[in-house]
Amino acid sequence: MSQATAIVTASALPEAGAAPARAIAGSAQDFEASHTRDRKRRNLMENLTSVRFLLPLLAVYIIIVLIPFLQSIVFSLTDYDGYDFANAKFVGIANYQAIFQDQTLLAGLGFTLLYTVATTVLITAIALPLAVTLNRKFFGRNFARSLFFFFSVPSMAVLGLVWQYIFSPLGTGAVNTFLGKLGVSPVPWLSDPALAKFCVIFIAVWAQVGWHATLYLAYLQAIPADLYEQASVDGATRGQQFVHITLPQMVPAMGVSIFMLLTGGLKVYDLPFTLTTGGPGNATYTVTQSIIVTGIGSGRYGIGSALGVMFFLCCVVLVALQQIVTSLIEKRLS
């Protein structure tokens, strides 16, 4: 009898020990499920809070940007004159075809692209070495930084008016007056198409290079000095340090700078308008000026809207290419 009791007791022990284990496992599962529900609830509340903050911005974006853009697409397919849209007729892609047949509009598109590419390349090529120079210790460094940054403080419209006197093609212009004292005849700075384009691009580079150098300088100061010290100990020259340390670290800054230059160049209007009013002829005519003159000034809202849509597509393509190239460069240098 005692042996049977012992056997029964021994066989019951595992089941007696398994019950608490199952209870513990069940409690752990319940705790994990409760923790998961709490985490989802917190994430939902955070998302709702973010949405509440974004709703006003989203509403402004829809009203100011999205709806007018959709209206421009609709207008670009009609002969809308800006007065009564009910009388507008559907013309399909006729407005887009007219753009490629209008030499003035094509000139504006061509100079805008030239201005954008030229200023982006030149400012990047000058601002990055300038920032590296301003990052070194030398006498008057703070004054030099302030001096280069000051060029970007006045608005482009004001700079256009000031430089209009400096580059005046008359003998009374500042540059021509100086050249006259050297025995050089007056140069037609703003009356020659090629020179006028050069002047617009030169002023834009002169005005913006200091600001972008300051942007690069901010990123340069975030690079740890230990990297340069270690490279110097290993015998790396300044050129090698620039290529293998500075340049890879500056790729994010270059992406920001180039993006701002591209978007600013594509929508340029104030500097060419105040400096040359788009002349001589249509040499410095821009897309923005074309949209304003054609769409608003001439009452051809259909063609103006079509030009705006094409301008938007060009912006998307250029910015997308810039992002792809920047990403590839960053991967290659990293």
Side-chain angles (χ1 to χ4, degrees), residues 8-332:
V8 172
T9 304
S11 61
L13 284 176
E15 295 182 0
R22 286 195 298 269
I24 294 173
S27 300
Q29 292 177 356
D30 293 339
F31 175 78
E32 182 65 25
S34 176
H35 179 69
T36 301
R37 287 193 300 269
D38 292 340
R39 185 171 64 252
K40 290 182 178 180
R41 190 180 299 108
R42 287 195 301 269
N43 292 338
L44 179 60
M45 294 302 297
E46 291 177 358
N47 292 334
L48 290 176
T49 303
S50 301
V51 169
R52 284 197 295 268
F53 278 108
L54 291 176
L55 280 177
L57 299 177
L58 182 62
V60 172
Y61 175 81
I62 292 175
I63 295 173
I64 296 180
V65 178
L66 186 58
I67 293 178
F69 177 70
L70 295 177
Q71 288 179 333
S72 297
I73 296 177
V74 175
F75 293 162
S76 68
L77 301 175
T78 65
D79 61 351
Y80 180 50
D81 58 1
Y83 293 100
D84 189 3
F85 184 71
N87 297 327
K89 297 180 181 179
F90 179 79
V91 296
I93 61 173
N95 291 327
Y96 294 92
Q97 294 174 342
I99 293 175
F100 292 98
Q101 297 173 358
D102 192 325
Q103 296 301 319
T104 301
L105 301 180
L106 289 178
L109 181 61
F111 176 71
T112 301
L113 293 177
L114 172 65
Y115 174 91
T116 302
V117 174
T119 53
T120 300
V121 173
L122 292 175
I123 291 175
T124 303
I126 298 174
L128 187 55
L130 177 62
V132 174
T133 303
L134 295 176
N135 194 40
R136 298 172 182 170
K137 294 182 179 180
F138 59 89
F139 178 75
R141 181 179 64 174
N142 293 334
F143 174 77
R145 291 176 178 178
S146 303
L147 180 63
F148 281 104
F149 181 78
F150 175 76
F151 297 154
S152 61
V153 174
S155 67
M156 284 295 186
V158 174
L159 290 178
L161 295 174
V162 173
W163 281 90
Q164 188 181 47
Y165 164 73
I166 296 175
F167 278 138
S168 174
L170 302 177
T172 56
V175 176
N176 282 337
T177 300
F178 174 76
L179 294 177
K181 293 181 179 180
L182 300 177
V184 180
S185 58
V187 178
W189 295 106
L190 302 180
S191 58
D192 180 79
L195 289 176
K197 293 178 181 179
F198 165 79
C199 291
V200 173
I201 294 173
F202 170 79
I203 297 169
V205 173
W206 173 86
Q208 299 180 72
V209 69
W211 193 95
H212 289 270
T214 304
L215 174 64
Y216 289 135
L217 183 61
Y219 277 80
L220 280 172
Q221 293 176 346
I223 300 177
D226 298 343
L227 297 178
Y228 294 101
E229 294 176 0
Q230 183 64 38
S232 299
V233 172
D234 295 338
T237 62
R238 283 189 173 181
Q240 291 173 335
Q241 293 178 18
F242 177 80
V243 173
H244 298 288
I245 298 177
T246 305
L247 198 57
Q249 297 287 334
M250 295 299 292
V251 171
M254 293 176 64
V256 174
S257 175
I258 293 174
F259 175 80
M260 296 178 67
L261 287 170
L262 286 177
T263 54
L266 289 171
K267 63 182 181 182
V268 64
Y269 170 73
D270 42 6
L271 176 60
F273 183 77
T274 55
L275 183 67
T276 63
T277 63
N282 298 317
T284 58
Y285 213 60
T286 62
V287 172
T288 308
Q289 186 176 354
S290 300
I291 295 174
I292 294 174
V293 172
T294 303
I296 301 176
S298 302
R300 302 162 65 190
Y301 279 74
I303 294 181
S305 299
L307 187 60
V309 173
M310 290 189 59
F311 172 64
F312 171 78
L313 295 177
C314 290
C315 292
V316 170
V317 172
L318 284 179
V319 172
L321 289 176
Q322 180 263 330
Q323 293 292 332
I324 293 173
V325 172
T326 303
S327 178
L328 293 176
I329 293 176
E330 188 172 1
K331 289 181 181 179
R332 185 178 181 85

